[in-house]
Amino acid sequence: MSTRRHTPMRTTTITALLLLTVLAACGPASVDGSTTLPPVSVTTRSTQPPTETTGPEPTGPEAALADAKARWAAAGLDTYQFVYENDCGECDPGWAAPRSVVVWDSASFDGDRTDVDITDLFERIAGALTEGSDVEVAYDPELGFPVEIWIDREARAYDGGTHLLVHQFTQGLPGNSVSLADLESARERWASARPAAYEFRTDIMCDCPWDTTMWALIDGERVVDWRVEWIRQDGALNPAPSTIEQLFEDLHDLISSGEVAEAGARITGTASYHPEMGYPTWIGLDIEILDPGSELAVLAPRVVVSIRDLQPQDVAASQHAGAVERWAQSGPGDYRYELTVHDIVEASFGPPHHVTVRDDEVISVTVDGAEVDADSVPAYAIDDLFAQIDIWRADGWNIDVLYDRRLGHPVLVTGRNGDGSIVFSIDRLTPG
């Protein structure tokens, strides 16, 4: 990569409409209360019978599994929540991180789209036993669900085997019944604690084409970058990003309409908010249509919206890193572009300079077909321009950059320090 330095010259939303559209495609639901259970377990192995049970003592791992499944079936739980952990050793940390799972009327709501529930864990244990694997399981003595699963523990030392954990099992849905009072209290917490810039993920979960996970980067009240990370149906209308302030507004409008009998619908469900920062971590809504002639009659009964992975950010650094990654993945090695240098003092701009890059090196700069000195203007290969932006910032320049959303290359660069300023734009970048 070239290290040439150029001397500077002197000088989003998840709207209420989206929520209503999503709601119109989702399935029926009900809401239960919430009771915390004690974390007690019983261990069984394929090599020895369990030593603790609440019924007749099983004679082996298959019998222990059958006994646990019977206790689970007798409990009749179809709405509950737990923290699920796949302790997979040297695997991607994202897979190993504990994740919150909510099962609502037997439907699993998990932003990581694992769709795991207690029945799935029972099936995994049964499959491992059928395959002849060494299986060790600790079951909850009252309800029977697995709290710890080892499959081929000896292989675990060589990054093999499986170790699954279930923590914080709780009956019912997260939070309390939805109310405007709780919503407003959470909004006040967010207003006082929110970072100036932040990134987060929004999960919209329902049995519909708009079942979606979005990532967004927010600076102040602006969405400055975003992407759809997962969507159930390819080709579906992508939802728009939203600041958390806008999400609060949308939820207020939606819940308000459901509290007014004349609106023709009743909205119930539960909501949970971050205890310190106030942003919604779970909003689970049921819609009951009271008047088939109401404009709200298009709404269907269920949607879940949650926010996770919220982190304060250095927006400039985060945008720059994302743009560098997009260019590395999609940018061509040979390309041409038009460079326009702007004079902010005279409020004018010069003629376009046609820059040609081969093998990531600038080989020519022309104006109206005539060759000009490449060092007279900020003509860079894109990789070199990324590096130069870092150099300017390290030298104390205040640099703002707009990046191409698809390829990542800078399209407008503005910079200033105590001695001068620089402004230039890159247009019509084409391969070849």
Side-chain angles (χ1 to χ4, degrees):
M1 180 183 296
S2 170
T3 58
R4 176 175 60 85
R5 293 168 62 110
H6 174 75
T7 301
M9 297 167 294
R10 301 284 178 179
T11 60
T12 311
T13 64
I14 300 178
T15 63
L17 176 61
L18 169 64
L19 286 174
L20 298 185
T21 305
V22 173
L23 285 165
C26 306
S30 64
V31 179
D32 296 334
S34 178
T35 304
T36 302
L37 296 174
V40 181
S41 63
V42 176
T43 301
T44 66
R45 299 177 59 102
S46 62
T47 56
Q48 64 182 29
T51 58
E52 235 184 290
T53 63
T54 56
E57 184 175 343
T59 58
E62 291 82 0
L65 173 61
D67 178 71
K69 290 174 66 175
R71 277 181 278 140
W72 176 254
L77 298 180
D78 61 5
T79 299
Y80 52 91
Q81 56 188 296
F82 60 93
V83 175
Y84 172 69
E85 184 176 354
N86 181 357
D87 177 21
C88 49
E90 300 300 322
C91 66
D92 185 330
W95 283 103
R99 61 196 67 187
S100 297
V101 178
V102 177
V103 179
W104 189 356
D105 287 350
S106 299
S108 178
F109 293 91
D110 169 14
D112 290 295
R113 315 290 168 178
T114 57
D115 293 329
V116 66
D117 62 13
I118 297 304
T119 300
D120 294 325
L121 296 178
F122 280 136
E123 291 177 353
R124 185 156 188 173
I125 295 166
L129 290 171
T130 299
E131 293 170 358
S133 299
D134 181 59
V135 179
E136 308 170 40
V137 185
Y139 296 102
D140 181 87
E142 180 180 353
L143 297 177
F145 63 85
V147 296
E148 184 171 18
I149 302 170
W150 279 101
I151 299 174
D152 292 330
R153 183 197 285 254
E154 294 300 322
R156 181 67 177 75
Y158 308 98
D159 198 28
T162 299
H163 186 205
L164 307 177
L165 298 156
V166 171
H167 308 283
Q168 302 171 41
F169 183 93
T170 307
Q171 297 183 42
L173 296 174
N176 301 313
S177 297
V178 292
S179 73
L180 288 177
D182 287 346
L183 184 75
E184 292 307 312
S185 175
R187 176 150 52 176
E188 290 176 5
R189 293 201 303 279
W190 172 251
S192 64
R194 58 150 291 172
Y198 58 94
E199 67 174 1
F200 68 103
R201 285 177 173 81
T202 304
D203 298 307
I204 302 172
M205 294 177 280
C206 58
D207 186 14
C208 60
W210 296 274
D211 196 358
T212 305
T213 292
M214 289 179 292
W215 170 87
L217 177 65
I218 311 297
D219 185 11
E221 296 185 1
R222 298 182 303 117
V223 178
V224 296
D225 198 7
W226 67 284
R227 63 179 175 267
V228 174
E229 295 188 328
W230 187 91
I231 190 164
R232 179 180 295 275
Q233 179 172 308
D234 290 339
L237 178 64
N238 282 346
S242 171
T243 65
I244 291 178
E245 286 82 0
Q246 184 60 55
L247 180 58
F248 272 121
E249 287 291 333
D250 296 341
L251 290 171
H252 183 278
D253 292 344
L254 190 61
I255 295 172
S256 295
S257 67
E259 289 191 346
V260 179
E262 290 79 4
R266 179 184 296 113
I267 296 179
T268 57
T270 65
S272 177
Y273 305 95
H274 192 276
E276 288 83 32
M277 300 188 70
Y279 61 84
T281 56
W282 161 277
I283 303 287
L285 300 177
D286 276 339
I287 309 291
E288 179 188 2
I289 301 301
L290 305 176
D291 177 9
S294 165
E295 62 181 8
L296 297 181
V298 297
L299 304 182
R302 175 177 294 171
V303 67
V304 170
V305 179
S306 69
I307 289 174
R308 59 188 173 94
D309 302 337
L310 189 144
Q311 296 290 337
Q313 286 295 308
D314 178 337
V315 169
S318 180
Q319 283 185 289
H320 189 71
V324 171
E325 181 179 356
R326 292 200 300 276
W327 179 257
Q329 292 177 347
S330 304
D334 299 339
Y335 50 91
R336 303 181 303 275
Y337 66 83
E338 289 186 7
L339 170 70
T340 303
V341 179
H342 303 254
D343 186 333
I344 63 174
V345 175
E346 299 295 333
S348 63
F349 51 86
H353 292 65
H354 298 273
V355 181
T356 301
V357 178
R358 295 284 183 271
D359 294 325
D360 295 319
E361 294 288 342
V362 174
I363 63 168
S364 71
V365 179
T366 63
V367 176
D368 295 329
E371 194 85 17
V372 300
D373 182 3
D375 290 332
S376 65
V377 290
Y380 294 93
I382 298 302
D383 285 330
D384 290 344
L385 179 53
F386 282 135
Q388 183 61 56
I389 290 169
D390 287 334
I391 291 171
W392 282 329
R393 285 180 171 146
D395 287 344
W397 282 75
N398 187 349
I399 299 290
D400 291 317
V401 186
L402 296 179
Y403 302 94
D404 183 83
R405 183 173 295 278
R406 183 174 65 88
L407 293 179
H409 65 276
V411 295
L412 177 65
V413 179
T414 65
R416 59 189 180 279
N417 71 359
D419 297 323
S421 62
I422 184 169
V423 182
F424 61 91
S425 57
I426 292 175
D427 302 294
R428 286 177 277 279
L429 188 149
T430 55

PDB file of all heavy atoms in Angstrom, residues 122-138:
ATOM      1  N   PHE A 122     -34.904 -32.336  25.107  1.00  0.00           N
ATOM      2  CA  PHE A 122     -35.226 -33.749  25.319  1.00  0.00           C
ATOM      3  C   PHE A 122     -34.889 -34.569  24.069  1.00  0.00           C
ATOM      4  O   PHE A 122     -34.335 -35.672  24.150  1.00  0.00           O
ATOM      5  CB  PHE A 122     -36.710 -33.912  25.651  1.00  0.00           C
ATOM      6  CG  PHE A 122     -37.057 -33.598  27.080  1.00  0.00           C
ATOM      7  CD1 PHE A 122     -38.192 -32.838  27.382  1.00  0.00           C
ATOM      8  CD2 PHE A 122     -36.286 -34.064  28.129  1.00  0.00           C
ATOM      9  CE1 PHE A 122     -38.528 -32.559  28.697  1.00  0.00           C
ATOM     10  CE2 PHE A 122     -36.616 -33.781  29.451  1.00  0.00           C
ATOM     11  CZ  PHE A 122     -37.746 -33.029  29.731  1.00  0.00           C
ATOM     12  N   GLU A 123     -35.245 -34.048  22.894  1.00  0.00           N
ATOM     13  CA  GLU A 123     -34.988 -34.779  21.643  1.00  0.00           C
ATOM     14  C   GLU A 123     -33.489 -34.942  21.399  1.00  0.00           C
ATOM     15  O   GLU A 123     -33.040 -35.969  20.878  1.00  0.00           O
ATOM     16  CB  GLU A 123     -35.650 -34.049  20.477  1.00  0.00           C
ATOM     17  CG  GLU A 123     -37.173 -34.106  20.517  1.00  0.00           C
ATOM     18  CD  GLU A 123     -37.822 -33.313  19.396  1.00  0.00           C
ATOM     19  OE1 GLU A 123     -37.076 -32.606  18.665  1.00  0.00           O
ATOM     20  OE2 GLU A 123     -39.053 -33.374  19.258  1.00  0.00           O
ATOM     21  N   ARG A 124     -32.710 -33.924  21.785  1.00  0.00           N
ATOM     22  CA  ARG A 124     -31.268 -34.037  21.598  1.00  0.00           C
ATOM     23  C   ARG A 124     -30.682 -35.115  22.501  1.00  0.00           C
ATOM     24  O   ARG A 124     -29.792 -35.877  22.089  1.00  0.00           O
ATOM     25  CB  ARG A 124     -30.609 -32.689  21.883  1.00  0.00           C
ATOM     26  CG  ARG A 124     -29.127 -32.680  21.590  1.00  0.00           C
ATOM     27  CD  ARG A 124     -28.626 -31.292  21.323  1.00  0.00           C
ATOM     28  NE  ARG A 124     -27.259 -31.297  20.866  1.00  0.00           N
ATOM     29  CZ  ARG A 124     -26.611 -30.217  20.431  1.00  0.00           C
ATOM     30  NH1 ARG A 124     -27.233 -29.060  20.388  1.00  0.00           N
ATOM     31  NH2 ARG A 124     -25.349 -30.298  20.031  1.00  0.00           N
ATOM     32  N   ILE A 125     -31.173 -35.185  23.725  1.00  0.00           N
ATOM     33  CA  ILE A 125     -30.712 -36.237  24.639  1.00  0.00           C
ATOM     34  C   ILE A 125     -31.068 -37.611  24.085  1.00  0.00           C
ATOM     35  O   ILE A 125     -30.238 -38.530  24.046  1.00  0.00           O
ATOM     36  CB  ILE A 125     -31.335 -36.041  26.032  1.00  0.00           C
ATOM     37  CG1 ILE A 125     -30.847 -34.735  26.662  1.00  0.00           C
ATOM     38  CG2 ILE A 125     -31.006 -37.227  26.940  1.00  0.00           C
ATOM     39  CD1 ILE A 125     -31.648 -34.298  27.867  1.00  0.00           C
ATOM     40  N   ALA A 126     -32.321 -37.766  23.632  1.00  0.00           N
ATOM     41  CA  ALA A 126     -32.761 -39.053  23.096  1.00  0.00           C
ATOM     42  C   ALA A 126     -31.932 -39.453  21.880  1.00  0.00           C
ATOM     43  O   ALA A 126     -31.550 -40.623  21.719  1.00  0.00           O
ATOM     44  CB  ALA A 126     -34.249 -38.975  22.732  1.00  0.00           C
ATOM     45  N   GLY A 127     -31.635 -38.494  20.999  1.00  0.00           N
ATOM     46  CA  GLY A 127     -30.834 -38.799  19.818  1.00  0.00           C
ATOM     47  C   GLY A 127     -29.439 -39.256  20.175  1.00  0.00           C
ATOM     48  O   GLY A 127     -28.905 -40.195  19.567  1.00  0.00           O
ATOM     49  N   ALA A 128     -28.827 -38.619  21.181  1.00  0.00           N
ATOM     50  CA  ALA A 128     -27.479 -39.010  21.602  1.00  0.00           C
ATOM     51  C   ALA A 128     -27.481 -40.410  22.199  1.00  0.00           C
ATOM     52  O   ALA A 128     -26.559 -41.206  21.959  1.00  0.00           O
ATOM     53  CB  ALA A 128     -26.941 -38.001  22.610  1.00  0.00           C
ATOM     54  N   LEU A 129     -28.517 -40.751  22.973  1.00  0.00           N
ATOM     55  CA  LEU A 129     -28.605 -42.095  23.537  1.00  0.00           C
ATOM     56  C   LEU A 129     -28.782 -43.133  22.441  1.00  0.00           C
ATOM     57  O   LEU A 129     -28.174 -44.216  22.485  1.00  0.00           O
ATOM     58  CB  LEU A 129     -29.760 -42.158  24.533  1.00  0.00           C
ATOM     59  CG  LEU A 129     -29.553 -41.382  25.840  1.00  0.00           C
ATOM     60  CD1 LEU A 129     -30.857 -41.338  26.642  1.00  0.00           C
ATOM     61  CD2 LEU A 129     -28.431 -41.996  26.671  1.00  0.00           C
ATOM     62  N   THR A 130     -29.590 -42.818  21.445  1.00  0.00           N
ATOM     63  CA  THR A 130     -29.804 -43.740  20.333  1.00  0.00           C
ATOM     64  C   THR A 130     -28.506 -43.997  19.581  1.00  0.00           C
ATOM     65  O   THR A 130     -28.243 -45.115  19.113  1.00  0.00           O
ATOM     66  CB  THR A 130     -30.870 -43.176  19.378  1.00  0.00           C
ATOM     67  OG1 THR A 130     -32.102 -43.027  20.079  1.00  0.00           O
ATOM     68  CG2 THR A 130     -31.078 -44.100  18.181  1.00  0.00           C
ATOM     69  N   GLU A 131     -27.661 -42.945  19.462  1.00  0.00           N
ATOM     70  CA  GLU A 131     -26.395 -43.085  18.760  1.00  0.00           C
ATOM     71  C   GLU A 131     -25.333 -43.792  19.592  1.00  0.00           C
ATOM     72  O   GLU A 131     -24.226 -44.047  19.114  1.00  0.00           O
ATOM     73  CB  GLU A 131     -25.881 -41.701  18.357  1.00  0.00           C
ATOM     74  CG  GLU A 131     -26.748 -41.024  17.306  1.00  0.00           C
ATOM     75  CD  GLU A 131     -26.368 -39.561  17.106  1.00  0.00           C
ATOM     76  OE1 GLU A 131     -25.451 -39.087  17.832  1.00  0.00           O
ATOM     77  OE2 GLU A 131     -26.975 -38.914  16.248  1.00  0.00           O
ATOM     78  N   GLY A 132     -25.637 -44.084  20.854  1.00  0.00           N
ATOM     79  CA  GLY A 132     -24.685 -44.767  21.709  1.00  0.00           C
ATOM     80  C   GLY A 132     -23.660 -43.856  22.350  1.00  0.00           C
ATOM     81  O   GLY A 132     -22.622 -44.325  22.840  1.00  0.00           O
ATOM     82  N   SER A 133     -23.911 -42.554  22.364  1.00  0.00           N
ATOM     83  CA  SER A 133     -22.978 -41.613  22.985  1.00  0.00           C
ATOM     84  C   SER A 133     -23.042 -41.727  24.501  1.00  0.00           C
ATOM     85  O   SER A 133     -24.044 -42.180  25.073  1.00  0.00           O
ATOM     86  CB  SER A 133     -23.321 -40.178  22.572  1.00  0.00           C
ATOM     87  OG  SER A 133     -23.225 -40.007  21.176  1.00  0.00           O
ATOM     88  N   ASP A 134     -21.964 -41.316  25.154  1.00  0.00           N
ATOM     89  CA  ASP A 134     -21.953 -41.218  26.612  1.00  0.00           C
ATOM     90  C   ASP A 134     -22.708 -39.957  26.995  1.00  0.00           C
ATOM     91  O   ASP A 134     -22.344 -38.853  26.576  1.00  0.00           O
ATOM     92  CB  ASP A 134     -20.521 -41.174  27.126  1.00  0.00           C
ATOM     93  CG  ASP A 134     -20.474 -41.098  28.637  1.00  0.00           C
ATOM     94  OD1 ASP A 134     -21.003 -41.998  29.293  1.00  0.00           O
ATOM     95  OD2 ASP A 134     -19.922 -40.105  29.156  1.00  0.00           O
ATOM     96  N   VAL A 135     -23.774 -40.097  27.779  1.00  0.00           N
ATOM     97  CA  VAL A 135     -24.669 -38.973  28.078  1.00  0.00           C
ATOM     98  C   VAL A 135     -24.797 -38.801  29.583  1.00  0.00           C
ATOM     99  O   VAL A 135     -25.031 -39.768  30.309  1.00  0.00           O
ATOM    100  CB  VAL A 135     -26.077 -39.197  27.466  1.00  0.00           C
ATOM    101  CG1 VAL A 135     -26.994 -38.035  27.806  1.00  0.00           C
ATOM    102  CG2 VAL A 135     -25.968 -39.386  25.953  1.00  0.00           C
ATOM    103  N   GLU A 136     -24.619 -37.579  30.050  1.00  0.00           N
ATOM    104  CA  GLU A 136     -24.849 -37.217  31.448  1.00  0.00           C
ATOM    105  C   GLU A 136     -25.815 -36.034  31.469  1.00  0.00           C
ATOM    106  O   GLU A 136     -25.589 -35.051  30.765  1.00  0.00           O
ATOM    107  CB  GLU A 136     -23.549 -36.802  32.139  1.00  0.00           C
ATOM    108  CG  GLU A 136     -22.411 -37.797  32.012  1.00  0.00           C
ATOM    109  CD  GLU A 136     -21.109 -37.205  32.508  1.00  0.00           C
ATOM    110  OE1 GLU A 136     -21.134 -36.499  33.535  1.00  0.00           O
ATOM    111  OE2 GLU A 136     -20.085 -37.430  31.851  1.00  0.00           O
ATOM    112  N   VAL A 137     -26.868 -36.156  32.264  1.00  0.00           N
ATOM    113  CA  VAL A 137     -27.874 -35.103  32.297  1.00  0.00           C
ATOM    114  C   VAL A 137     -28.265 -34.815  33.736  1.00  0.00           C
ATOM    115  O   VAL A 137     -28.486 -35.740  34.522  1.00  0.00           O
ATOM    116  CB  VAL A 137     -29.140 -35.484  31.493  1.00  0.00           C
ATOM    117  CG1 VAL A 137     -30.121 -34.308  31.453  1.00  0.00           C
ATOM    118  CG2 VAL A 137     -28.784 -35.931  30.079  1.00  0.00           C
ATOM    119  N   ALA A 138     -28.378 -33.532  34.077  1.00  0.00           N
ATOM    120  CA  ALA A 138     -28.981 -33.114  35.336  1.00  0.00           C
ATOM    121  C   ALA A 138     -30.362 -32.569  35.023  1.00  0.00           C
ATOM    122  O   ALA A 138     -30.511 -31.696  34.168  1.00  0.00           O
ATOM    123  CB  ALA A 138     -28.132 -32.046  36.008  1.00  0.00           C
TER     124      ALA A 138
END
